[in-house]
Amino acid sequence: MSIILQILVFFLIFLSTALVVGIPVILASPGQWEKLKDSVYKSAAVWSALVIFIGVFNSFVQ
């Protein structure tokens, strides 16, 4: 179970890094926000769900 938690945390770190780098680039690029707005919102929703899921899953790992 511990390896699953580590994989989930790795994915969270990867997604966090991608969002921290990608969102300012999208906002700074002319016209990109309109095209990629849905992707940004979906990525933020996945990130939020992953944080909650990792928190719940962590309570079962010793």
Side-chain angles (χ1 to χ4, degrees), residues 1 4 10 14 16 23 32 40 42 44 47-48 51 56-57:
M1 283 254 289
I4 295 170
F10 174 76
F14 178 76
S16 297
I23 290 176
Q32 291 299 312
V40 170
K42 288 177 186 175
W47 185 89
S48 300
V51 167
V56 170
F57 189 74

Side-chain angles (χ1 to χ4, degrees), residues 9-44:
V9 170
F10 174 76
F11 185 65
L12 178 68
I13 292 170
F14 178 76
L15 184 59
S16 297
T17 305
L19 289 173
V20 164
V21 171
I23 290 176
V25 170
I26 290 170
L27 291 173
S29 301
Q32 291 299 312
W33 174 246
E34 288 79 20
K35 289 186 210 174
L36 300 173
K37 182 176 18 176
D38 292 334
S39 297
V40 170
Y41 287 143
K42 288 177 186 175
S43 298

Side-chain angles (χ1 to χ4, degrees), residues 1-9 50-62:
M1 283 254 289
S2 176
I3 196 81
I4 295 170
L5 182 64
Q6 290 176 354
I7 291 169
L8 288 171
V9 170
L50 194 57
V51 167
I52 292 169
F53 183 74
I54 288 173
V56 170
F57 189 74
N58 190 36
S59 67
F60 296 112
V61 177
Q62 292 189 20

